[in-house]
Structure formats: C-alpha cells, structure tokens
Amino acid sequence: MRVLLIAPPGAGKGTQGALIAAHFALPRIATGDLLRDHVARRTELGRAVQQHLDSGDLVPDEIVVDMVLEAIVAAKAAGGGYVLDGIPRNMDQARATYLISRGLGMIPNVALHLQADDSEVTRRLLARAALERRSDDTEEVIRRRLVVYHEVTHPIVAWYAERGIVVSVDAMRPAEQVGREILDALETLRPVVDQVPGEARRPVDLTGLGVAFGAAPTDSGTSG
Ligand code: ADP
C-alpha cells in the first residue's frame, strides 16, 4: 500500500504516519525529519534549508523532490509500499511526485487528509514546544506555516479527490481514536486498492461518521 498524508502542521501527520508505517510494515518517508536531520548534521543541504525551516516557509521544490525520488527508489527495492509524510506540499510537488512515482510504478493509492482547525493545531504545537525544541514551533512561525498550508498545500486535496484516492479523517479527536479509524479504513481498502481502475475510484469521507454514530460534533469544518 502506498499512502500519502496531507494535513496542516500539528494535525498529527507524524504520529499517524508512524502508526500506519508500523502497522503495515511500510517505510515512512518524512521530508521534515529528513530536512531537520540535515540541519542537525550541518550538511551543505542543511545549511541551505535552515532559514526556510526557521521561518516556516517551504524549502525549494528541487531539494525535496530529489529527496523523495531517492526515497521512493529505496521503497521500491524494499517491497513497494510507503507512507509519504510531508510531500507533496504544493501543486508543483504533487505533479513531480506523480511523475516520479508513475515512472517507478509506485503511484500512491491513498491520499489521507487529516482535518483539524487552526486553533486546535496551534494549541497542540505550542504544547509540543514546551516539551521539544523545534525552531518552528513559535507562535509567529506557526502562523506562517498555517498560511502556507491554506494557500498552497490544502488545494492539492481537490487534485487527489479528482483521482478518487482521498480518505478524509476528522483529526480533532484524541490520537488513539483517529489512529484506530485510519487503520480500520486502510485495512478495509488494502485488498482492493490496487484492483480498482482509476476511473472507478471514489473519495472516502469519514469525517461525518463519528457524528452519525452519536459522538459530539467537533466543529472541524473551517479548515484541515
Ligand atoms: P509540519 O507539517 O508540522 O510543518 P514538517 O516536519 O512536515 O512539519 O515540516 C517542517 C518544515 O520542513 C516545513 O515548514 C518546511 O519548511 C519544510 N518542509 C517539509 N516538507 C517540505 C516539502 N515537501 N516542501 C518544502 N518544504 C518542506
């Protein structure tokens, strides 16, 4: 199975991506982690991207696209599945990722969209800032990351929806609950995901399910 995650910062991409990777024994390709690792090791690439990370802006597309090419080649050799966390983050990256993955016979078959509103993700990121030291978890930089998300990242959800591979999840709830719902959905999709022809695929929206089953509405309609 080949899953990519689209979510605002703080919605749980890292947590849920790691859960999916562990559950299905897939390699997790997390561009943010790869970039921070370069910064920590003070590589040439790390020095080139540090300012972008610190300001909450995207690093240049070529850098992450090269990274993802290398990682998808490795994922192919390792068995053919992956969890992509952090790319694509704009339309050009979505197209580049598509071309790379198509060339390798590794097109993603699920685009998992985690929905959470700005106030909730800001609260989570500031809580994390008290525990970890990520240079971009300050109020000002979080605001910038959210602007970038809404302007250039969120629009790619519609592009994947047209391809019928979007699964939307309400990520406002506790991580365990969100994780359970994601794993259930992916377990259900897994046997069919490679069999369904492109034109027959339909997006799956799980965000209304909790409400349908009597859970309190979470008011996550404004963003995600
Ligand atoms: P978050 O989603 O919480 O912002 P990430 O670890 O995914 O966390 O990303 C952190 C930062 O790394 C981003 O703000 C950006 O500067 C950089 N980054 C990660 N992935 C990409 C990408 N695909 N394109 C450009 N920049 C990226």
Side-chain angles (χ1 to χ4, degrees):
M1 193 161 41
R2 294 178 295 277
V3 181
L4 65 83
L5 291 156
I6 308 168
K13 249 182 322 112
T15 308
Q16 304 302 344
L19 176 74
I20 298 164
H23 185 84
F24 294 102
L26 300 169
R28 173 169 166 259
I29 304 165
T31 49
D33 288 355
L34 293 170
L35 292 167
R36 279 186 293 276
D37 182 55
H38 274 280
V39 172
R41 289 188 288 120
R42 298 179 199 286
T43 65
E44 194 180 328
L45 191 150
R47 286 196 298 275
V49 300
Q50 177 154 24
Q51 277 228 310
H52 299 85
L53 269 86
D54 288 348
S55 64
D57 286 307
L58 298 183
V59 311
D61 290 343
E62 321 75 85
I63 293 181
V64 282
V65 167
D66 283 352
M67 265 181 176
V68 87
L69 168 61
E70 206 178 298
I72 292 182
V73 168
K76 180 167 182 163
Y82 58 68
V83 178
L84 267 192
D85 164 352
I87 188 166
R89 255 178 152 100
N90 59 33
M91 271 315 302
D92 284 342
Q93 291 184 14
R95 289 192 202 94
T97 305
Y98 175 75
L99 291 176
I100 288 171
S101 56
R102 193 182 62 180
L104 292 165
M106 294 277 284
I107 289 182
N109 34 41
V110 175
L112 187 64
H113 173 210
L114 305 182
Q115 294 187 9
D117 66 30
D118 288 8
S119 56
E120 172 64 11
V121 299
T122 303
R123 190 189 64 72
R124 291 182 192 175
L125 292 170
L126 290 174
R128 178 174 77 184
L131 302 170
E132 291 174 26
R133 284 190 173 273
R134 244 179 79 165
S135 59
D136 56 352
D137 281 347
T138 65
E139 235 171 311
E140 189 192 341
V141 179
I142 290 168
R143 219 174 299 127
R144 176 70 197 146
R145 285 153 71 198
L146 284 168
V147 167
V148 170
Y149 178 77
H150 291 296
E151 280 183 1
V152 303
T153 307
H154 186 257
I156 66 180
V157 174
W159 193 74
Y160 286 110
E162 277 171 31
R163 278 152 188 77
I165 65 164
V166 172
V167 175
S168 295
V169 173
D170 173 5
M172 296 284 282
R173 298 162 301 154
E176 304 77 38
Q177 224 175 312
V178 177
R180 176 46 44 213
E181 185 170 286
I182 290 171
L183 293 184
D184 284 350
L186 295 180
E187 283 287 7
T188 309
L189 288 172
R190 180 157 66 146
V192 294
V193 97
D194 285 319
Q195 268 76 46
V196 186
E199 63 280 8
R201 295 198 183 124
R202 297 286 175 274
V204 180
D205 187 351
L206 298 175
T207 57
L209 268 188
V211 178
F213 284 100
T218 52
D219 190 25
S220 60
T222 49
S223 114

